[in-house]
Amino acid sequence: MMEDKGEKNGVAAMAACYQKFDPAAYLQYNYTPPRADFTRKDSIVPWKLACLHRALTEGDVSGELLVDIGSGPTLYQVMSGCEVFKKLILTDFLEVNRQELRRWLQDEGKCSLDWTPYLEHVCKLEGRRSSAWPEKAAKLRQVVADILPIDVHCSQPLAPDALPSAGADCLVSCFCLESVSPDMPAFTRALGNIQKLLRPGGHLLLIGALGESYYFGGPGVRIPVVPLDEAQVCSSLKESGYTLIRLEVYTLSQDMRVGVDDVTGVFFAKAKRD
Ligand code: SAM
C-alpha cells in the first residue's frame, strides 16, 4: 500500500521506465570487461563477489532460506550464497528478467551472458580450482527453488504465501532499491518493505550505487536513480529496522566509467534485522 497520490505517481513513472528494459544490453553494459575483468582486482564485479563471499563465510550468516530481491537477469549475487543456504529464491519485477534467469537455470536455450568465468572466480574465492565450476553450476541450479515476481514498493512485496511465515534467513539485494525508487523516502520505505520478508536477527547483504542519477537499461532506455551517499545508506538502514554490521565502499576509476551510467562508487552493506 502506498500513502499518497504523488508517491503513487512517482512509483508508476519508475515502473513505466522499466517497460523497455533490455536484459541482454544491461548484461553487456555491466557484466563484461572492464567492469567484469577477472584478471584485475580493481574491477567492479570481482570486488562485489569478494564482498559477498566474505560476508557469507564469516560464520554469523546461516539458515535455510536466502531470497534475492530484484535479481534482474543476473546470477553472480547468489553464487556464494548457494553454498551456505539449502534453498534460494530469485525475484524480479519484470517477466523478461525472470525468463532470462529461467533459461540459465533450466539449462536450455541460449543465455545472454556466459556465467562460466563468474563461477570459476567464485570457486577460486572458495579455495577450489576454477575447474570445479560445473559442480558450482549444478549446485546453484539445485538450490534455486523459485523465481518470483516482486514489487518492493508494496508493503507486501511478494505473494502472501511465497515464504514460510518466519521469513527468510537472509536477503541479498544488488542495485535494485535506488534504481527503482523515485526519491529518497521511497528508497527508505522499500528497505522497510523488504525487511518484513526477513526473520528477526536475519541478515541483509545490500549492494548499491553511490552518486548515481541515471543508468541505461538498454539503448536509449534512461532510468533515473536516487543518488545516494554513504550517510544516507546508513540512516535509511537504521530507520528501516536494521543494525549495520559493516559498510564497504568501492570508488570507480576513470576506466570503469564506461558511459552507461554516472555512478561514482558502489557500497556493500552487511546488516541485521532488529
Ligand atoms: N540485481 C541485478 C544486478 O545486480 O545487476 C539487477 C539490478 S537492475 C539495476 C534493477 C532491477 O530492479 C531490474 O531487474 C528491474 O526489473 C527490477 N525492478 C524494477 N522495478 C522494481 C520493483 N518495483 N520492485 C522490485 N524490483 C524492481
Side-chain angles (χ1 to χ4, degrees):
M1 234 188 339
M2 276 160 240
E3 277 139 35
D4 64 35
K5 208 169 160 197
E7 211 174 291
K8 268 191 194 157
N9 289 344
V11 164
M14 289 305 302
C17 287
Y18 273 95
Q19 292 318 304
K20 290 192 175 149
F21 186 89
D22 175 344
Y26 175 76
L27 289 167
Q28 179 65 34
Y29 298 160
N30 294 289
Y31 295 101
T32 60
R35 291 189 168 185
D37 183 342
F38 297 103
T39 64
R40 287 175 57 172
K41 270 227 164 93
D42 63 343
S43 176
I44 302 180
V45 168
W47 182 84
K48 291 191 280 185
L49 291 174
C51 288
L52 288 163
H53 168 73
R54 180 178 161 206
L56 286 162
T57 51
E58 286 173 316
D60 56 341
V61 180
S62 61
E64 294 276 312
L65 175 63
L66 169 71
V67 179
D68 179 38
I69 306 292
S71 306
T74 69
L75 289 154
Y76 72 91
Q77 68 277 16
V78 289
M79 287 181 184
S80 289
C82 73
E83 307 289 345
V84 178
F85 292 90
K86 286 201 185 81
K87 195 172 151 182
L88 221 146
I89 293 178
L90 304 176
T91 67
D92 200 72
F93 185 68
L94 295 177
E95 172 58 17
V96 281
N97 285 333
R98 299 195 298 268
Q99 241 166 28
E100 180 71 42
L101 297 172
R102 257 180 246 123
R103 266 201 296 278
W104 187 85
L105 288 165
Q106 291 164 3
D107 205 4
E108 55 189 36
K110 203 174 150 15
C111 294
S112 301
L113 190 78
D114 178 8
W115 292 103
T116 308
Y118 287 72
L119 294 161
E120 288 176 333
H121 186 78
V122 180
C123 282
K124 283 201 250 172
L125 290 176
E126 289 167 356
R128 297 194 266 169
R129 276 206 265 259
S130 57
S131 58
W133 75 264
E135 287 146 46
K136 180 173 271 302
K139 183 75 182 251
L140 184 52
R141 287 186 170 112
Q142 178 219 318
V143 299
V144 174
D146 225 333
I147 305 171
L148 300 177
I150 189 163
D151 185 348
V152 297
H153 299 306
C154 293
S155 63
Q156 193 171 28
L158 291 172
D161 295 325
L163 302 187
S165 56
D169 299 294
C170 182
L171 300 181
V172 168
S173 187
C174 305
F175 302 99
C176 177
L177 305 186
E178 70 280 14
S179 58
V180 308
S181 298
D183 50 31
M184 199 60 217
F187 171 86
T188 306
R189 258 194 315 275
L191 256 182
N193 291 337
I194 66 166
Q195 187 250 35
K196 294 176 215 148
L197 304 174
L198 187 61
R199 69 163 165 82
H203 287 84
L204 168 70
L205 307 180
L206 186 70
I207 295 183
L210 292 170
E212 185 176 48
S213 69
Y214 74 92
Y215 79 100
F216 282 103
V221 186
R222 196 178 198 272
I223 299 178
V225 179
V226 182
L228 297 173
D229 63 31
E230 290 153 71
Q232 283 169 321
V233 174
C234 295
S235 64
S236 281
L237 282 167
K238 198 170 173 198
E239 198 179 317
S240 310
Y242 301 92
T243 297
L244 183 65
I245 297 171
R246 181 168 69 246
L247 187 81
E248 296 178 52
V249 171
Y250 168 98
T251 303
L252 271 81
S253 58
Q254 209 50 48
D255 64 329
M256 293 293 152
R257 303 183 188 203
V258 292
V260 297
D261 52 43
D262 63 349
V263 64
T264 59
V266 178
F267 70 87
F268 170 81
K270 180 175 185 177
K272 216 172 168 177
R273 183 181 162 178
D274 296 337

